[in-house]
PDB file of all heavy atoms in Angstrom:
ATOM      1  N   PHE A 534       0.836  -1.195   0.000  1.00  0.00           N
ATOM      2  CA  PHE A 534       0.000   0.000   0.000  1.00  0.00           C
ATOM      3  C   PHE A 534       0.878   1.254   0.000  1.00  0.00           C
ATOM      4  O   PHE A 534       0.612   2.216  -0.737  1.00  0.00           O
ATOM      5  CB  PHE A 534      -0.911  -0.003   1.246  1.00  0.00           C
ATOM      6  CG  PHE A 534      -1.824   1.182   1.313  1.00  0.00           C
ATOM      7  CD1 PHE A 534      -3.072   1.163   0.703  1.00  0.00           C
ATOM      8  CD2 PHE A 534      -1.432   2.343   1.977  1.00  0.00           C
ATOM      9  CE1 PHE A 534      -3.919   2.262   0.764  1.00  0.00           C
ATOM     10  CE2 PHE A 534      -2.273   3.448   2.040  1.00  0.00           C
ATOM     11  CZ  PHE A 534      -3.519   3.412   1.428  1.00  0.00           C
ATOM     12  N   ALA A 535       1.926   1.255   0.812  1.00  0.00           N
ATOM     13  CA  ALA A 535       2.781   2.435   0.915  1.00  0.00           C
ATOM     14  C   ALA A 535       3.491   2.720  -0.412  1.00  0.00           C
ATOM     15  O   ALA A 535       3.553   3.869  -0.864  1.00  0.00           O
ATOM     16  CB  ALA A 535       3.801   2.241   2.029  1.00  0.00           C
ATOM     17  N   VAL A 536       4.010   1.659  -1.036  1.00  0.00           N
ATOM     18  CA  VAL A 536       4.733   1.849  -2.304  1.00  0.00           C
ATOM     19  C   VAL A 536       3.770   2.280  -3.405  1.00  0.00           C
ATOM     20  O   VAL A 536       4.050   3.192  -4.184  1.00  0.00           O
ATOM     21  CB  VAL A 536       5.469   0.548  -2.686  1.00  0.00           C
ATOM     22  CG1 VAL A 536       6.013   0.645  -4.117  1.00  0.00           C
ATOM     23  CG2 VAL A 536       6.594   0.278  -1.702  1.00  0.00           C
ATOM     24  N   THR A 537       2.618   1.621  -3.456  1.00  0.00           N
ATOM     25  CA  THR A 537       1.650   1.949  -4.508  1.00  0.00           C
ATOM     26  C   THR A 537       1.103   3.357  -4.335  1.00  0.00           C
ATOM     27  O   THR A 537       0.864   4.073  -5.316  1.00  0.00           O
ATOM     28  CB  THR A 537       0.499   0.939  -4.487  1.00  0.00           C
ATOM     29  OG1 THR A 537       1.020  -0.384  -4.623  1.00  0.00           O
ATOM     30  CG2 THR A 537      -0.480   1.205  -5.615  1.00  0.00           C
ATOM     31  N   ALA A 538       0.914   3.797  -3.088  1.00  0.00           N
ATOM     32  CA  ALA A 538       0.333   5.112  -2.829  1.00  0.00           C
ATOM     33  C   ALA A 538       1.217   6.245  -3.332  1.00  0.00           C
ATOM     34  O   ALA A 538       0.742   7.353  -3.559  1.00  0.00           O
ATOM     35  CB  ALA A 538       0.079   5.283  -1.333  1.00  0.00           C
ATOM     36  N   LEU A 539       2.503   5.968  -3.528  1.00  0.00           N
ATOM     37  CA  LEU A 539       3.376   7.011  -4.079  1.00  0.00           C
ATOM     38  C   LEU A 539       3.007   7.351  -5.517  1.00  0.00           C
ATOM     39  O   LEU A 539       3.083   8.508  -5.925  1.00  0.00           O
ATOM     40  CB  LEU A 539       4.841   6.553  -4.024  1.00  0.00           C
ATOM     41  CG  LEU A 539       5.483   6.460  -2.641  1.00  0.00           C
ATOM     42  CD1 LEU A 539       6.856   5.824  -2.764  1.00  0.00           C
ATOM     43  CD2 LEU A 539       5.583   7.835  -2.000  1.00  0.00           C
ATOM     44  N   PHE A 540       2.587   6.350  -6.285  1.00  0.00           N
ATOM     45  CA  PHE A 540       2.453   6.533  -7.725  1.00  0.00           C
ATOM     46  C   PHE A 540       1.005   6.504  -8.221  1.00  0.00           C
ATOM     47  O   PHE A 540       0.705   7.027  -9.286  1.00  0.00           O
ATOM     48  CB  PHE A 540       3.254   5.436  -8.459  1.00  0.00           C
ATOM     49  CG  PHE A 540       4.700   5.410  -8.063  1.00  0.00           C
ATOM     50  CD1 PHE A 540       5.155   4.489  -7.141  1.00  0.00           C
ATOM     51  CD2 PHE A 540       5.597   6.313  -8.599  1.00  0.00           C
ATOM     52  CE1 PHE A 540       6.483   4.448  -6.769  1.00  0.00           C
ATOM     53  CE2 PHE A 540       6.930   6.278  -8.234  1.00  0.00           C
ATOM     54  CZ  PHE A 540       7.386   5.357  -7.315  1.00  0.00           C
ATOM     55  N   ARG A 541       0.098   5.878  -7.457  1.00  0.00           N
ATOM     56  CA  ARG A 541      -1.292   5.781  -7.928  1.00  0.00           C
ATOM     57  C   ARG A 541      -2.198   5.501  -6.735  1.00  0.00           C
ATOM     58  O   ARG A 541      -1.717   5.277  -5.623  1.00  0.00           O
ATOM     59  CB  ARG A 541      -1.412   4.671  -8.968  1.00  0.00           C
ATOM     60  CG  ARG A 541      -1.144   3.276  -8.438  1.00  0.00           C
ATOM     61  CD  ARG A 541      -1.149   2.229  -9.552  1.00  0.00           C
ATOM     62  NE  ARG A 541      -0.049   2.494 -10.474  1.00  0.00           N
ATOM     63  CZ  ARG A 541       1.212   2.064 -10.260  1.00  0.00           C
ATOM     64  NH1 ARG A 541       1.501   1.374  -9.160  1.00  0.00           N
ATOM     65  NH2 ARG A 541       2.156   2.324 -11.120  1.00  0.00           N
ATOM     66  N   HIS A 542      -3.513   5.505  -7.011  1.00  0.00           N
ATOM     67  CA  HIS A 542      -4.472   5.133  -5.974  1.00  0.00           C
ATOM     68  C   HIS A 542      -4.505   3.604  -5.872  1.00  0.00           C
ATOM     69  O   HIS A 542      -4.754   2.919  -6.869  1.00  0.00           O
ATOM     70  CB  HIS A 542      -5.871   5.641  -6.330  1.00  0.00           C
ATOM     71  CG  HIS A 542      -5.963   7.147  -6.358  1.00  0.00           C
ATOM     72  ND1 HIS A 542      -5.727   7.932  -5.247  1.00  0.00           N
ATOM     73  CD2 HIS A 542      -6.286   7.996  -7.375  1.00  0.00           C
ATOM     74  CE1 HIS A 542      -5.890   9.201  -5.571  1.00  0.00           C
ATOM     75  NE2 HIS A 542      -6.225   9.273  -6.855  1.00  0.00           N
ATOM     76  N   PRO A 543      -4.266   3.028  -4.692  1.00  0.00           N
ATOM     77  CA  PRO A 543      -4.317   1.569  -4.552  1.00  0.00           C
ATOM     78  C   PRO A 543      -5.693   1.023  -4.937  1.00  0.00           C
ATOM     79  O   PRO A 543      -6.730   1.526  -4.455  1.00  0.00           O
ATOM     80  CB  PRO A 543      -4.016   1.343  -3.063  1.00  0.00           C
ATOM     81  CG  PRO A 543      -3.247   2.569  -2.649  1.00  0.00           C
ATOM     82  CD  PRO A 543      -3.834   3.685  -3.453  1.00  0.00           C
ATOM     83  N   LEU A 544      -5.689   0.049  -5.814  1.00  0.00           N
ATOM     84  CA  LEU A 544      -6.912  -0.592  -6.308  1.00  0.00           C
ATOM     85  C   LEU A 544      -7.865   0.411  -6.958  1.00  0.00           C
ATOM     86  O   LEU A 544      -9.067   0.183  -7.075  1.00  0.00           O
ATOM     87  CB  LEU A 544      -7.645  -1.316  -5.163  1.00  0.00           C
ATOM     88  CG  LEU A 544      -6.842  -2.408  -4.435  1.00  0.00           C
ATOM     89  CD1 LEU A 544      -7.658  -2.974  -3.276  1.00  0.00           C
ATOM     90  CD2 LEU A 544      -6.439  -3.504  -5.403  1.00  0.00           C
ATOM     91  N   GLY A 545      -7.332   1.568  -7.354  1.00  0.00           N
ATOM     92  CA  GLY A 545      -8.147   2.594  -8.005  1.00  0.00           C
ATOM     93  C   GLY A 545      -9.040   3.359  -7.061  1.00  0.00           C
ATOM     94  O   GLY A 545      -9.880   4.151  -7.517  1.00  0.00           O
ATOM     95  N   LEU A 546      -8.895   3.157  -5.747  1.00  0.00           N
ATOM     96  CA  LEU A 546      -9.730   3.829  -4.761  1.00  0.00           C
ATOM     97  C   LEU A 546      -9.130   5.191  -4.420  1.00  0.00           C
ATOM     98  O   LEU A 546      -7.940   5.290  -4.101  1.00  0.00           O
ATOM     99  CB  LEU A 546      -9.841   2.983  -3.489  1.00  0.00           C
ATOM    100  CG  LEU A 546     -10.434   1.580  -3.693  1.00  0.00           C
ATOM    101  CD1 LEU A 546     -10.397   0.791  -2.375  1.00  0.00           C
ATOM    102  CD2 LEU A 546     -11.856   1.673  -4.219  1.00  0.00           C
ATOM    103  N   PRO A 547      -9.907   6.266  -4.467  1.00  0.00           N
ATOM    104  CA  PRO A 547      -9.382   7.616  -4.187  1.00  0.00           C
ATOM    105  C   PRO A 547      -9.150   7.840  -2.699  1.00  0.00           C
ATOM    106  O   PRO A 547      -9.772   8.713  -2.069  1.00  0.00           O
ATOM    107  CB  PRO A 547     -10.472   8.528  -4.741  1.00  0.00           C
ATOM    108  CG  PRO A 547     -11.730   7.738  -4.611  1.00  0.00           C
ATOM    109  CD  PRO A 547     -11.344   6.297  -4.838  1.00  0.00           C
ATOM    110  N   ILE A 548      -8.273   7.068  -2.137  1.00  0.00           N
ATOM    111  CA  ILE A 548      -7.963   7.193  -0.717  1.00  0.00           C
ATOM    112  C   ILE A 548      -7.123   8.452  -0.514  1.00  0.00           C
ATOM    113  O   ILE A 548      -6.211   8.730  -1.305  1.00  0.00           O
ATOM    114  CB  ILE A 548      -7.204   5.946  -0.231  1.00  0.00           C
ATOM    115  CG1 ILE A 548      -8.045   4.684  -0.506  1.00  0.00           C
ATOM    116  CG2 ILE A 548      -6.840   6.056   1.244  1.00  0.00           C
ATOM    117  CD1 ILE A 548      -7.307   3.398  -0.225  1.00  0.00           C
ATOM    118  N   PRO A 549      -7.435   9.249   0.520  1.00  0.00           N
ATOM    119  CA  PRO A 549      -6.651  10.476   0.750  1.00  0.00           C
ATOM    120  C   PRO A 549      -5.164  10.176   0.923  1.00  0.00           C
ATOM    121  O   PRO A 549      -4.770   9.134   1.455  1.00  0.00           O
ATOM    122  CB  PRO A 549      -7.266  11.046   2.033  1.00  0.00           C
ATOM    123  CG  PRO A 549      -8.650  10.472   2.082  1.00  0.00           C
ATOM    124  CD  PRO A 549      -8.549   9.107   1.484  1.00  0.00           C
ATOM    125  N   HIS A 550      -4.374  11.133   0.449  1.00  0.00           N
ATOM    126  CA  HIS A 550      -2.917  11.060   0.557  1.00  0.00           C
ATOM    127  C   HIS A 550      -2.331   9.864  -0.189  1.00  0.00           C
ATOM    128  O   HIS A 550      -1.363   9.245   0.267  1.00  0.00           O
ATOM    129  CB  HIS A 550      -2.479  11.017   2.027  1.00  0.00           C
ATOM    130  CG  HIS A 550      -2.952  12.198   2.823  1.00  0.00           C
ATOM    131  ND1 HIS A 550      -2.479  13.478   2.632  1.00  0.00           N
ATOM    132  CD2 HIS A 550      -3.899  12.282   3.795  1.00  0.00           C
ATOM    133  CE1 HIS A 550      -3.103  14.307   3.465  1.00  0.00           C
ATOM    134  NE2 HIS A 550      -3.982  13.606   4.179  1.00  0.00           N
ATOM    135  N   THR A 551      -2.943   9.502  -1.277  1.00  0.00           N
ATOM    136  CA  THR A 551      -2.360   8.505  -2.178  1.00  0.00           C
ATOM    137  C   THR A 551      -2.147   9.155  -3.543  1.00  0.00           C
ATOM    138  O   THR A 551      -2.575  10.283  -3.784  1.00  0.00           O
ATOM    139  CB  THR A 551      -3.283   7.280  -2.315  1.00  0.00           C
ATOM    140  OG1 THR A 551      -4.564   7.692  -2.821  1.00  0.00           O
ATOM    141  CG2 THR A 551      -3.473   6.587  -0.967  1.00  0.00           C
ATOM    142  N   ALA A 552      -1.451   8.418  -4.447  1.00  0.00           N
ATOM    143  CA  ALA A 552      -1.064   8.969  -5.746  1.00  0.00           C
ATOM    144  C   ALA A 552      -0.317  10.308  -5.540  1.00  0.00           C
ATOM    145  O   ALA A 552      -0.618  11.325  -6.146  1.00  0.00           O
ATOM    146  CB  ALA A 552      -2.266   9.160  -6.667  1.00  0.00           C
ATOM    147  N   LEU A 553       0.657  10.261  -4.645  1.00  0.00           N
ATOM    148  CA  LEU A 553       1.329  11.503  -4.232  1.00  0.00           C
ATOM    149  C   LEU A 553       2.078  12.172  -5.378  1.00  0.00           C
ATOM    150  O   LEU A 553       2.001  13.397  -5.546  1.00  0.00           O
ATOM    151  CB  LEU A 553       2.298  11.196  -3.077  1.00  0.00           C
ATOM    152  CG  LEU A 553       1.652  10.694  -1.778  1.00  0.00           C
ATOM    153  CD1 LEU A 553       2.724  10.401  -0.742  1.00  0.00           C
ATOM    154  CD2 LEU A 553       0.656  11.710  -1.256  1.00  0.00           C
ATOM    155  N   ILE A 554       2.832  11.405  -6.138  1.00  0.00           N
ATOM    156  CA  ILE A 554       3.650  12.011  -7.200  1.00  0.00           C
ATOM    157  C   ILE A 554       2.787  12.639  -8.289  1.00  0.00           C
ATOM    158  O   ILE A 554       3.033  13.790  -8.674  1.00  0.00           O
ATOM    159  CB  ILE A 554       4.627  10.963  -7.772  1.00  0.00           C
ATOM    160  CG1 ILE A 554       5.672  10.605  -6.705  1.00  0.00           C
ATOM    161  CG2 ILE A 554       5.299  11.473  -9.039  1.00  0.00           C
ATOM    162  CD1 ILE A 554       6.660   9.552  -7.138  1.00  0.00           C
ATOM    163  N   PRO A 555       1.764  11.968  -8.832  1.00  0.00           N
ATOM    164  CA  PRO A 555       0.943  12.635  -9.846  1.00  0.00           C
ATOM    165  C   PRO A 555       0.216  13.870  -9.319  1.00  0.00           C
ATOM    166  O   PRO A 555       0.099  14.875 -10.024  1.00  0.00           O
ATOM    167  CB  PRO A 555      -0.050  11.546 -10.274  1.00  0.00           C
ATOM    168  CG  PRO A 555       0.598  10.263  -9.903  1.00  0.00           C
ATOM    169  CD  PRO A 555       1.377  10.555  -8.665  1.00  0.00           C
ATOM    170  N   ASN A 556      -0.284  13.785  -8.059  1.00  0.00           N
ATOM    171  CA  ASN A 556      -1.086  14.886  -7.529  1.00  0.00           C
ATOM    172  C   ASN A 556      -0.246  16.068  -7.049  1.00  0.00           C
ATOM    173  O   ASN A 556      -0.719  17.214  -7.058  1.00  0.00           O
ATOM    174  CB  ASN A 556      -1.961  14.388  -6.373  1.00  0.00           C
ATOM    175  CG  ASN A 556      -3.050  13.435  -6.852  1.00  0.00           C
ATOM    176  OD1 ASN A 556      -3.475  13.512  -8.011  1.00  0.00           O
ATOM    177  ND2 ASN A 556      -3.481  12.543  -5.991  1.00  0.00           N
ATOM    178  N   ARG A 557       0.959  15.787  -6.628  1.00  0.00           N
ATOM    179  CA  ARG A 557       1.782  16.853  -6.056  1.00  0.00           C
ATOM    180  C   ARG A 557       3.065  17.066  -6.858  1.00  0.00           C
ATOM    181  O   ARG A 557       4.092  17.480  -6.316  1.00  0.00           O
ATOM    182  CB  ARG A 557       2.110  16.521  -4.598  1.00  0.00           C
ATOM    183  CG  ARG A 557       0.879  16.142  -3.785  1.00  0.00           C
ATOM    184  CD  ARG A 557       1.188  16.050  -2.318  1.00  0.00           C
ATOM    185  NE  ARG A 557       1.477  17.364  -1.751  1.00  0.00           N
ATOM    186  CZ  ARG A 557       1.796  17.565  -0.465  1.00  0.00           C
ATOM    187  NH1 ARG A 557       1.855  16.534   0.364  1.00  0.00           N
ATOM    188  NH2 ARG A 557       2.050  18.775  -0.026  1.00  0.00           N
ATOM    189  N   LYS A 558       2.971  16.781  -8.149  1.00  0.00           N
ATOM    190  CA  LYS A 558       4.147  16.902  -9.023  1.00  0.00           C
ATOM    191  C   LYS A 558       4.714  18.325  -8.999  1.00  0.00           C
ATOM    192  O   LYS A 558       5.928  18.526  -8.837  1.00  0.00           O
ATOM    193  CB  LYS A 558       3.763  16.506 -10.456  1.00  0.00           C
ATOM    194  CG  LYS A 558       4.822  16.808 -11.505  1.00  0.00           C
ATOM    195  CD  LYS A 558       4.368  16.351 -12.853  1.00  0.00           C
ATOM    196  CE  LYS A 558       3.167  17.132 -13.345  1.00  0.00           C
ATOM    197  NZ  LYS A 558       3.492  18.562 -13.650  1.00  0.00           N
ATOM    198  N   ASN A 559       3.852  19.313  -9.178  1.00  0.00           N
ATOM    199  CA  ASN A 559       4.323  20.699  -9.236  1.00  0.00           C
ATOM    200  C   ASN A 559       4.916  21.147  -7.894  1.00  0.00           C
ATOM    201  O   ASN A 559       5.912  21.866  -7.853  1.00  0.00           O
ATOM    202  CB  ASN A 559       3.189  21.631  -9.640  1.00  0.00           C
ATOM    203  CG  ASN A 559       2.708  21.375 -11.060  1.00  0.00           C
ATOM    204  OD1 ASN A 559       3.424  20.772 -11.860  1.00  0.00           O
ATOM    205  ND2 ASN A 559       1.512  21.818 -11.389  1.00  0.00           N
ATOM    206  N   LEU A 560       4.276  20.704  -6.794  1.00  0.00           N
ATOM    207  CA  LEU A 560       4.799  21.054  -5.482  1.00  0.00           C
ATOM    208  C   LEU A 560       6.161  20.405  -5.247  1.00  0.00           C
ATOM    209  O   LEU A 560       7.070  21.028  -4.683  1.00  0.00           O
ATOM    210  CB  LEU A 560       3.812  20.620  -4.401  1.00  0.00           C
ATOM    211  CG  LEU A 560       4.213  20.935  -2.956  1.00  0.00           C
ATOM    212  CD1 LEU A 560       4.397  22.436  -2.778  1.00  0.00           C
ATOM    213  CD2 LEU A 560       3.176  20.391  -1.978  1.00  0.00           C
ATOM    214  N   LEU A 561       6.281  19.156  -5.714  1.00  0.00           N
ATOM    215  CA  LEU A 561       7.582  18.488  -5.599  1.00  0.00           C
ATOM    216  C   LEU A 561       8.636  19.212  -6.425  1.00  0.00           C
ATOM    217  O   LEU A 561       9.793  19.340  -6.009  1.00  0.00           O
ATOM    218  CB  LEU A 561       7.457  17.027  -6.057  1.00  0.00           C
ATOM    219  CG  LEU A 561       6.630  16.103  -5.158  1.00  0.00           C
ATOM    220  CD1 LEU A 561       6.469  14.739  -5.809  1.00  0.00           C
ATOM    221  CD2 LEU A 561       7.289  15.965  -3.795  1.00  0.00           C
ATOM    222  N   GLY A 562       8.244  19.698  -7.627  1.00  0.00           N
ATOM    223  CA  GLY A 562       9.188  20.456  -8.457  1.00  0.00           C
ATOM    224  C   GLY A 562       9.629  21.735  -7.769  1.00  0.00           C
ATOM    225  O   GLY A 562      10.809  22.092  -7.780  1.00  0.00           O
ATOM    226  N   ALA A 563       8.664  22.449  -7.153  1.00  0.00           N
ATOM    227  CA  ALA A 563       9.008  23.679  -6.433  1.00  0.00           C
ATOM    228  C   ALA A 563       9.912  23.373  -5.249  1.00  0.00           C
ATOM    229  O   ALA A 563      10.873  24.113  -4.970  1.00  0.00           O
ATOM    230  CB  ALA A 563       7.739  24.387  -5.983  1.00  0.00           C
ATOM    231  N   SER A 564       9.610  22.287  -4.534  1.00  0.00           N
ATOM    232  CA  SER A 564      10.438  21.910  -3.393  1.00  0.00           C
ATOM    233  C   SER A 564      11.845  21.530  -3.849  1.00  0.00           C
ATOM    234  O   SER A 564      12.838  21.888  -3.199  1.00  0.00           O
ATOM    235  CB  SER A 564       9.794  20.734  -2.644  1.00  0.00           C
ATOM    236  OG  SER A 564       8.507  21.093  -2.164  1.00  0.00           O
ATOM    237  N   LEU A 565      11.927  20.825  -4.982  1.00  0.00           N
ATOM    238  CA  LEU A 565      13.232  20.469  -5.517  1.00  0.00           C
ATOM    239  C   LEU A 565      14.013  21.723  -5.911  1.00  0.00           C
ATOM    240  O   LEU A 565      15.219  21.832  -5.663  1.00  0.00           O
ATOM    241  CB  LEU A 565      13.065  19.545  -6.729  1.00  0.00           C
ATOM    242  CG  LEU A 565      14.359  19.125  -7.434  1.00  0.00           C
ATOM    243  CD1 LEU A 565      15.264  18.360  -6.483  1.00  0.00           C
ATOM    244  CD2 LEU A 565      14.032  18.271  -8.667  1.00  0.00           C
ATOM    245  N   GLY A 566      13.295  22.676  -6.522  1.00  0.00           N
ATOM    246  CA  GLY A 566      13.952  23.930  -6.888  1.00  0.00           C
ATOM    247  C   GLY A 566      14.465  24.672  -5.664  1.00  0.00           C
ATOM    248  O   GLY A 566      15.589  25.188  -5.664  1.00  0.00           O
ATOM    249  N   ASP A 567      13.648  24.736  -4.605  1.00  0.00           N
ATOM    250  CA  ASP A 567      14.087  25.392  -3.373  1.00  0.00           C
ATOM    251  C   ASP A 567      15.286  24.670  -2.762  1.00  0.00           C
ATOM    252  O   ASP A 567      16.224  25.311  -2.257  1.00  0.00           O
ATOM    253  CB  ASP A 567      12.939  25.430  -2.359  1.00  0.00           C
ATOM    254  CG  ASP A 567      11.814  26.353  -2.806  1.00  0.00           C
ATOM    255  OD1 ASP A 567      12.083  27.250  -3.639  1.00  0.00           O
ATOM    256  OD2 ASP A 567      10.674  26.172  -2.330  1.00  0.00           O
ATOM    257  N   PHE A 568      15.251  23.353  -2.815  1.00  0.00           N
ATOM    258  CA  PHE A 568      16.363  22.576  -2.267  1.00  0.00           C
ATOM    259  C   PHE A 568      17.656  22.873  -3.021  1.00  0.00           C
ATOM    260  O   PHE A 568      18.711  23.110  -2.422  1.00  0.00           O
ATOM    261  CB  PHE A 568      16.030  21.085  -2.334  1.00  0.00           C
ATOM    262  CG  PHE A 568      17.164  20.197  -1.911  1.00  0.00           C
ATOM    263  CD1 PHE A 568      17.449  20.009  -0.572  1.00  0.00           C
ATOM    264  CD2 PHE A 568      17.954  19.565  -2.860  1.00  0.00           C
ATOM    265  CE1 PHE A 568      18.503  19.189  -0.176  1.00  0.00           C
ATOM    266  CE2 PHE A 568      19.003  18.745  -2.467  1.00  0.00           C
ATOM    267  CZ  PHE A 568      19.276  18.559  -1.128  1.00  0.00           C
ATOM    268  N   VAL A 569      17.571  22.870  -4.340  1.00  0.00           N
ATOM    269  CA  VAL A 569      18.757  23.161  -5.151  1.00  0.00           C
ATOM    270  C   VAL A 569      19.230  24.592  -4.918  1.00  0.00           C
ATOM    271  O   VAL A 569      20.433  24.866  -4.780  1.00  0.00           O
ATOM    272  CB  VAL A 569      18.449  22.936  -6.647  1.00  0.00           C
ATOM    273  CG1 VAL A 569      19.608  23.409  -7.522  1.00  0.00           C
ATOM    274  CG2 VAL A 569      18.172  21.462  -6.915  1.00  0.00           C
ATOM    275  N   GLY A 570      18.272  25.536  -4.847  1.00  0.00           N
ATOM    276  CA  GLY A 570      18.646  26.923  -4.643  1.00  0.00           C
ATOM    277  C   GLY A 570      19.323  27.162  -3.308  1.00  0.00           C
ATOM    278  O   GLY A 570      20.312  27.890  -3.217  1.00  0.00           O
ATOM    279  N   ASN A 571      18.824  26.528  -2.249  1.00  0.00           N
ATOM    280  CA  ASN A 571      19.373  26.759  -0.913  1.00  0.00           C
ATOM    281  C   ASN A 571      20.666  26.003  -0.668  1.00  0.00           C
ATOM    282  O   ASN A 571      21.504  26.452   0.126  1.00  0.00           O
ATOM    283  CB  ASN A 571      18.338  26.362   0.151  1.00  0.00           C
ATOM    284  CG  ASN A 571      17.121  27.264   0.116  1.00  0.00           C
ATOM    285  OD1 ASN A 571      17.208  28.428  -0.236  1.00  0.00           O
ATOM    286  ND2 ASN A 571      15.964  26.705   0.466  1.00  0.00           N
ATOM    287  N   ASN A 572      20.837  24.861  -1.310  1.00  0.00           N
ATOM    288  CA  ASN A 572      21.987  24.005  -1.009  1.00  0.00           C
ATOM    289  C   ASN A 572      23.048  23.976  -2.101  1.00  0.00           C
ATOM    290  O   ASN A 572      24.174  23.527  -1.840  1.00  0.00           O
ATOM    291  CB  ASN A 572      21.509  22.564  -0.746  1.00  0.00           C
ATOM    292  CG  ASN A 572      20.646  22.459   0.495  1.00  0.00           C
ATOM    293  OD1 ASN A 572      21.137  22.380   1.604  1.00  0.00           O
ATOM    294  ND2 ASN A 572      19.332  22.487   0.287  1.00  0.00           N
ATOM    295  N   PHE A 573      22.717  24.422  -3.311  1.00  0.00           N
ATOM    296  CA  PHE A 573      23.682  24.384  -4.404  1.00  0.00           C
ATOM    297  C   PHE A 573      23.932  25.752  -5.030  1.00  0.00           C
ATOM    298  O   PHE A 573      25.010  26.000  -5.556  1.00  0.00           O
ATOM    299  CB  PHE A 573      23.214  23.404  -5.494  1.00  0.00           C
ATOM    300  CG  PHE A 573      23.161  21.977  -5.050  1.00  0.00           C
ATOM    301  CD1 PHE A 573      21.991  21.446  -4.534  1.00  0.00           C
ATOM    302  CD2 PHE A 573      24.279  21.174  -5.115  1.00  0.00           C
ATOM    303  CE1 PHE A 573      21.928  20.133  -4.116  1.00  0.00           C
ATOM    304  CE2 PHE A 573      24.239  19.860  -4.693  1.00  0.00           C
ATOM    305  CZ  PHE A 573      23.059  19.331  -4.186  1.00  0.00           C
TER     306      PHE A 573
END
């Protein structure tokens, strides 16, 4: 469940806080940009 929830909804069920990468792609990109900006 934990591994699947990163990439999609387990069994296609819209369980909260699942499919993290597709749903929060832009936020992850912004966080990655901030990380690179602050540390590199």
Side-chain angles (χ1 to χ4, degrees):
F534 181 88
V536 170
T537 304
L539 290 173
F540 304 100
R541 65 185 64 84
H542 295 298
L544 301 176
L546 301 176
I548 303 173
H550 302 291
T551 59
L553 296 179
I554 292 178
N556 292 334
R557 310 190 69 181
K558 170 178 66 68
N559 294 341
L560 181 60
L561 291 174
S564 300
L565 178 61
D567 292 338
F568 175 78
V569 172
N571 294 330
N572 295 278
F573 295 92

